[in-house]
Amino acid sequence: MIFFLRVIFAGLGGLAFWAAHAPMSWWPLLVLAFTFLWVSVYHASVKWGFLLGLIWGLFFFLPHTAWAAIAAGTVFALVALALSQALFIAIVGGIWSQISYLSPKSAWLWAAISWCGIEHVRGELPFGGMPWGKVAFALNDSPLARLAPLGSTLLVGLVAVAISILFAQALVAMPRSFFTMATSLALACALFVLPLFLPLGGSPEGQIAVGIVQGGSPTKEEVPRGYERALRVTQNHVELAQQVGDADLIVMPESTSDRDMRTDPVTGGLLRDLAVNLDTPLMFGTQEYLENGRYNDYLVMAPDSSIIGRYSKQHPVPFGEYVPFRDAIESSSQWLAQIINQISVDMLAGTTNAHLDVPTSRGQVRLATPICFEIAYDLLVSQAVTGSGPAAQLIVVPTNNASFGDSGEPYQQFEMTRFRAMEFGRSAIQVSTTGVSGLVEANGVLRYRTDVGQQEARTENVMLYNHLTFAARSADVRHQVGYGLAIIAVIIAIIAYRRRTHKARRR
């Protein structure tokens, strides 16, 4: 009966964590999510802690990444993705089960360190990791978001989990120790309130008028042939861009032209004519196809229609944009071969930082341009903003969400873009083929946001910033600290386990 209740708590905790993230965004449920996980593994064995953590993780990742089944056209993709990510939560469950035996004075801190260390590793391994579903991305509307300019997702997550475990400790201690309950609640409240005194944003040092175009994309049912569908997407964006008012720069999404506009005369002609007619620099996504794969490019086109800047996506999504060990998988199973062959051309990784320089009538502007899922990766976005030479003054995230239907994925990604705006003290634009597009101020305030499926073109005056936050300046060190936290988590769990077993033998 007790184990059954633990399973119920674990499942409810995972669902609460899902509801805390976009598109529901009920962020206060995050505290409940970790409270349920802590209570479910409290004084459990490592084995049961691992299993309960796995249950918590599956109840979170299955609904949170439901878009994987839509994009791949098979539930197998969703189950594989959710299971691979839930295994990291299972490790946390095993670690927490042993940390829960430690004194409440320190257990809350070790638990928070453990979560953030394992979450960091999850965002890095394997194949570059999958940071989707990080704690910090659910907290944009909470006071804890004000910690983002100091320590990015690592610090925000650490404090959020610490608060949650302190509440959980208070709940566990309630019948036995009033002192533990009171001190845990007092410390949790202090950690929650103190970030309110931290500033967000900064002083802008200029502005630029940016035309933002979400042109829409037909479905596979509406236009079955991919070649014709790609042309329609380009036509949609060119037609809408012509409606943009006075702009110093026009930004369009990833996959504005899935035909390589540099070699395709039709899409190339449409985009070149647009730049010349509007006498405005353009930014848009296209592909370069080679014998051994393709590059996902974001280009800058000058008003004379020449290409003056290129960024190639550095972090293709494994099993989404390329297939690791393709030959081995194809030879192992015909069924798996049919699934992975939906990715007919592997995406190649670019080698430069995600930023582009654009000459405008108001002077040259440097933009950080992480493409699509790249916005989830702390170090990659930090390098895009800091890079070599001057810092990027604005963040632009081109994305193509047409494959995800009416799922939560576009909203989840937009919340990541919003978090980065606060982290780096920059205005941030997300521009998508089908939604969600929008503009976020440097303090996280939402200027506007489109709906999925909406077609829209507008011009917005966007503030430019030159200062660098501490989170931006310390990203390389923090990246290594994340691994250190994971190592500490394992060491503390081993120490706690040995202490417990030693006491048990003495009895």
Side-chain angles (χ1 to χ4, degrees):
M1 183 62 181
I2 293 177
F3 180 72
F4 177 74
L5 289 175
R6 288 179 182 269
V7 171
I8 295 297
F9 279 138
L12 289 175
L15 289 175
F17 198 55
W18 164 68
H21 283 78
M24 297 182 73
S25 299
W26 296 347
W27 67 264
L29 289 179
L30 187 142
V31 174
L32 190 63
F34 287 116
T35 297
F36 277 144
L37 179 57
W38 180 260
V39 171
S40 70
V41 303
Y42 188 76
H43 286 190
S45 66
V46 175
K47 177 181 68 175
W48 291 121
F50 185 92
L51 177 59
L52 291 162
L54 182 67
I55 292 169
W56 192 99
L58 287 173
F59 270 77
F60 167 59
F61 282 110
L62 283 170
H64 187 68
T65 59
W67 40 263
I70 299 172
T74 171
V75 176
F76 173 78
L78 168 60
V79 173
L81 175 60
L83 181 60
S84 69
Q85 299 308 297
L87 286 171
F88 288 94
I89 313 301
I91 294 171
V92 173
I95 291 172
W96 278 14
S97 69
Q98 301 311 295
I99 289 177
S100 68
Y101 286 97
L102 298 176
S103 167
K105 295 178 182 179
S106 60
W108 64 274
L109 180 58
W110 297 128
I113 286 173
S114 302
W115 176 277
C116 291
I118 301 302
E119 183 178 75
H120 179 79
V121 173
R122 182 173 73 81
E124 297 293 325
L125 302 172
F127 309 118
M130 180 62 174
W132 219 264
K134 276 191 171 184
V135 173
F137 297 141
L139 294 169
N140 288 335
D141 292 310
S142 78
L144 301 187
R146 291 178 173 271
L147 297 168
L150 294 177
S152 187
T153 59
L154 195 67
L155 180 60
V156 174
L158 182 71
V159 176
V161 177
I163 291 171
S164 303
I165 301 306
L166 285 165
F167 273 110
Q169 281 190 170
L171 182 66
V172 172
M174 192 180 299
R176 297 179 289 109
S177 174
F178 176 80
F179 178 78
T180 299
M181 180 190 72
T183 53
S184 295
L185 288 176
L187 184 54
C189 291
L191 289 173
F192 183 77
V193 171
L194 286 175
L196 288 170
F197 297 96
L198 297 174
L200 272 178
S203 299
E205 300 185 35
Q207 68 175 8
I208 184 174
V210 181
I212 306 166
V213 182
Q214 178 176 304
S217 173
T219 65
K220 292 181 181 179
E221 291 72 27
E222 292 171 334
V223 182
R225 293 184 59 189
Y227 190 76
E228 294 176 357
R229 192 164 59 251
L231 176 59
R232 182 78 64 84
V233 171
T234 306
Q235 291 170 333
N236 287 349
H237 284 83
V238 168
E239 289 171 5
L240 270 185
Q242 292 169 348
Q243 303 173 20
V244 169
D246 291 336
D248 301 304
L249 165 67
I250 294 175
V251 297
M252 292 183 282
E254 175 192 27
S255 298
T256 299
S257 175
D258 266 347
R259 303 182 184 187
D260 186 353
M261 58 78 51
R262 291 157 292 198
T263 58
D264 183 83
V266 179
T267 56
L270 287 170
L271 289 162
R272 291 189 180 94
D273 288 346
L274 177 66
V276 171
N277 293 337
L278 296 182
D279 193 30
T280 305
L282 308 178
M283 300 183 75
F284 55 83
T286 191
Q287 309 286 319
E288 181 184 18
Y289 294 92
L290 305 173
E291 288 186 6
N292 62 331
R294 65 186 173 99
Y295 285 107
N296 186 355
D297 290 342
Y298 201 56
L299 304 182
V300 181
M301 178 179 282
D304 64 1
S305 80
S306 61
I307 304 298
I308 56 174
R310 169 184 177 178
Y311 165 65
S312 299
K313 188 175 184 180
Q314 305 168 66
H315 200 302
V317 178
F319 303 104
E321 294 172 324
Y322 77 100
V323 181
F325 314 120
R326 181 185 285 271
D327 292 341
I329 295 173
E330 287 179 340
S331 62
S332 66
S333 167
Q334 186 175 0
W335 175 66
L336 286 175
Q338 290 176 342
I339 293 176
I340 66 170
N341 282 336
Q342 294 182 61
I343 307 168
S344 56
V345 182
D346 285 337
M347 187 180 294
L348 306 173
T351 57
T352 60
N353 289 336
H355 56 68
L356 291 167
D357 295 316
V358 183
T360 73
S361 58
R362 304 196 196 195
Q364 182 163 285
V365 178
R366 171 163 284 195
L367 297 88
T369 55
I371 297 175
C372 196
F373 275 43
E374 289 185 328
I375 193 63
Y377 293 87
D378 294 354
L379 190 59
L380 188 152
V381 183
S382 177
Q383 291 171 342
V385 172
T386 57
S388 55
Q393 299 162 286
L394 168 67
I395 299 171
V396 173
V397 185
T399 184
N400 175 23
N401 295 322
S403 299
F404 301 113
D406 192 20
S407 69
E409 191 275 345
Y411 300 97
Q412 294 162 6
Q413 190 177 58
F414 189 81
E415 290 305 311
M416 298 178 198
T417 298
R418 190 176 166 208
F419 182 89
R420 299 306 182 193
M422 291 182 279
E423 177 183 352
F424 297 107
R426 297 288 191 276
S427 302
I429 296 169
Q430 181 165 301
V431 56
S432 173
T433 49
T434 57
V436 172
S437 301
L439 170 62
V440 182
E441 304 283 6
N443 60 0
V445 172
L446 181 65
R447 178 84 70 84
Y448 88 94
R449 189 182 75 178
T450 66
D451 294 324
V452 172
Q454 179 180 348
Q455 288 184 298
E456 181 173 272
R458 62 163 69 197
T459 300
E460 292 284 344
N461 287 320
V462 181
M463 298 296 113
L464 302 177
Y465 299 83
N466 292 323
H467 72 283
L468 288 175
T469 63
F470 183 76
R473 297 194 303 269
S474 61
D476 289 331
V477 173
R478 191 175 56 252
H479 187 71
Q480 301 306 319
V481 167
Y483 288 112
L485 296 183
I487 294 170
I488 290 171
V490 174
I491 292 172
I492 292 299
I494 292 172
I495 292 172
Y497 175 79
R498 287 184 173 178
R499 282 184 183 177
R500 179 174 67 85
T501 53
H502 180 67
K503 287 181 180 178
R505 289 194 202 102
R506 291 180 64 183
R507 289 174 188 162

